């Protein structure tokens, strides 16, 4: 049995930032990266909206830099997947901790198409805010019919020359206000009663989408980008029996703090953020979690 003052789960911007701040506070944190080192951010390529990089930065390079900074400051970064509770790593190693920071992130929901997987990061994206900039004055498609899909389509319409919305039913699930904005936007064309059958490409990037109508007929549209907006799923299943979560599975935190419903357990990043889901906000919440951990340990005399 190993013991640490601060255990961090997750190797994305939230986890690494928490490790940086905890290490600088002298807490000698142990961080387990999980099965996707670098987190969800590494599913994209160039990150242009992270502060401090004039020409943008490669996602993997950004996460490697965060990781290296945490290690330099004294964090113990390890590979492994978690089984609760006490924390068990890869069903072999048990660790007890005075505090736990959960920064396991969230995963975008995809359609499950092989062609979608093939072009992920090369025209297929689940984040318009992250990748929309690359499709200025080009044609894109957004899959989904809820508020998120409408928001993504409206955002993309400020950049792209045309936006298709692929909606599997004949109505939106979005609020009336969002529907009105979409339907009154001349750049957005809604394709009702359509499902995506295949993402088309030339081996290098997306060139179109093959759609299946409700009546069984198929047709293709030419697009340069394909955006998924059918929701995210927080990676919180391991903890849902122990912590309060909202109806969507996001870990509930106390106000602006990172405190969860369990004493000594804190949450940071996309696992507790159903709204913003950006690298910079995840990093900020990692800082908050580390500061909350430090304060908690001082108060408890640990």
């Amino acid at each position: 049995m190993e013991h640490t003052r601060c255990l961090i789960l997750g190797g994305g911007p939230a986890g690494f930032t928490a490790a940086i701040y905890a290490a600088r506070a002298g807490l000698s944190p142990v961080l387990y990266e999980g099965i996707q080192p670098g987190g969800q951010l590494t599913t994209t390529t160039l990150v242009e909206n992270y502060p401090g990089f004039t020409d943008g930065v490669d996602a993997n390079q950004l996460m490697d830099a965060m990781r290296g900074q945490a290690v330099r400051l004294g964090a113990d970064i390890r590979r492994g997947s978690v089984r609760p509770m006490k924390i068990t790593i890869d069903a072999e190693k048990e660790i007890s901790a005075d505090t736990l920071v959960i920064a396991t992130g969230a995963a975008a929901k995809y359609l499950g198409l092989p062609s979608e997987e093939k072009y992920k990061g090369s025209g297929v994206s689940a984040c318009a805010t992250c990748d929309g900039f690359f499709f200025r004055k080009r044609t894109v498609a957004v899959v989904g019919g809820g508020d998120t899909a409408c928001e993504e389509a409206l955002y993309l319409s400020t950049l792209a020359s045309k936006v298709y919305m692929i909606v599997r039913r004949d109505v939106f699930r979005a609020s009336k206000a969002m529907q009105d904005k979409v339907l009154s936007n001349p750049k957005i064309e809604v394709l009702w009663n359509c499902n995506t059958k295949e993402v088309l490409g030339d081996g290098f990037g997306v060139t179109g989408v093959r759609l299946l109508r409700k009546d069984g007929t198929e047709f293709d549209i030419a697009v340069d980008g394909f955006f998924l907006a059918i929701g995210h799923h927080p990676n919180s299943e391991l903890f849902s029996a122990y912590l309060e979560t909202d109806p969507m599975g996001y870990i509930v935190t106390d106000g602006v703090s990172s405190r969860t419903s369990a004493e000594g357990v804190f949450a940071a990043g996309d696992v507790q953020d159903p709204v913003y889901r950006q690298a910079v906000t995840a990093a900020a919440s990692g800082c908050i979690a580390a500061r909350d951990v430090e304060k908690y340990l001082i108060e408890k005399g640990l």
Side-chain angles (χ1 to χ4, degrees):
M1 171 69 72
E2 180 183 352
H3 183 79
T4 181
R5 297 177 73 195
C6 177
L7 178 63
I8 301 168
L9 304 179
F16 283 146
T17 305
I20 289 167
Y21 275 80
R24 291 188 75 246
L27 303 183
S28 301
V30 173
L31 182 149
Y32 276 91
E33 294 181 294
I35 61 174
Q36 189 178 22
Q40 188 180 185
L41 190 67
T42 57
T43 62
T44 187
T45 51
L46 187 68
V47 179
E48 292 212 325
N49 57 0
Y50 199 87
F53 299 92
T54 304
D55 300 316
V57 59
D58 178 83
N60 286 286
Q61 290 178 352
L62 176 61
M63 297 318 303
D64 286 345
M66 285 190 186
R67 187 183 194 279
Q69 185 178 4
V71 170
R72 182 182 68 79
L73 291 168
D76 183 353
I77 311 293
R78 307 175 184 179
R79 296 287 173 88
S81 300
V82 174
R83 321 289 198 274
M85 196 98 179
K86 306 170 214 177
I87 299 300
T88 304
I89 308 299
D90 290 331
E92 296 176 353
K93 183 180 184 66
E94 287 191 353
I95 298 181
S96 63
D98 294 322
T99 57
L100 172 64
V101 176
I102 300 170
T104 47
K109 294 179 181 177
Y110 286 84
L111 299 173
L113 303 172
S115 55
E116 175 188 56
E117 183 67 27
K118 178 179 180 179
Y119 290 106
K120 195 179 291 184
S122 298
V124 172
S125 172
C127 181
T129 308
C130 307
D131 298 324
F133 181 80
F134 302 112
F135 297 93
R136 288 176 299 173
K137 298 181 181 180
R138 300 170 79 178
T139 301
V140 299
V142 176
V143 178
D147 279 323
T148 298
C150 289
E151 288 172 3
E152 300 276 84
L154 288 165
Y155 172 76
L156 287 167
S157 73
T158 66
L159 301 168
S161 59
K162 183 176 182 62
V163 180
Y164 289 104
M165 282 195 73
I166 302 169
V167 183
R168 63 185 178 86
R169 300 194 300 170
D170 59 357
V171 293
F172 281 124
R173 290 182 292 105
S175 64
K176 182 64 164 58
M178 292 301 296
Q179 293 183 45
D180 290 343
K181 289 180 181 179
V182 165
L183 295 174
S184 63
N185 190 312
K187 283 190 175 183
I188 301 175
E189 179 180 346
V190 183
L191 303 174
W192 304 105
N193 295 312
C194 289
N195 284 303
T196 303
K197 184 173 183 181
E198 186 179 359
V199 179
L200 306 175
D202 57 9
F204 299 99
V206 171
T207 60
V209 184
R210 180 157 297 152
L211 300 175
L212 177 65
R213 291 191 182 95
K214 195 173 183 179
D215 63 9
T217 59
E218 296 181 8
F219 67 103
D220 296 348
I221 57 173
V223 300
D224 304 295
F226 181 74
F227 289 84
L228 282 300
I230 54 177
H232 283 73
H233 181 71
N235 300 321
S236 62
E237 296 92 336
L238 290 172
F239 315 103
S240 59
Y242 310 96
L243 303 174
E244 181 185 355
T245 58
D246 72 9
M248 294 184 292
Y250 289 89
I251 295 175
V252 174
T253 52
D254 183 12
V256 297
S257 81
S258 63
R259 294 187 301 269
T260 71
S261 58
E263 183 175 347
V265 179
F266 306 83
D270 288 7
V271 75
Q272 55 83 53
D273 175 17
V275 179
Y276 299 104
R277 299 192 301 268
Q278 297 297 300
V280 69
T281 54
S285 69
C287 164
I288 291 169
R291 295 294 301 274
D292 287 344
V293 163
E294 183 183 7
K295 181 180 179 182
Y296 174 84
L297 291 171
I298 291 172
E299 290 175 347
K300 296 296 181 180
L302 297 171

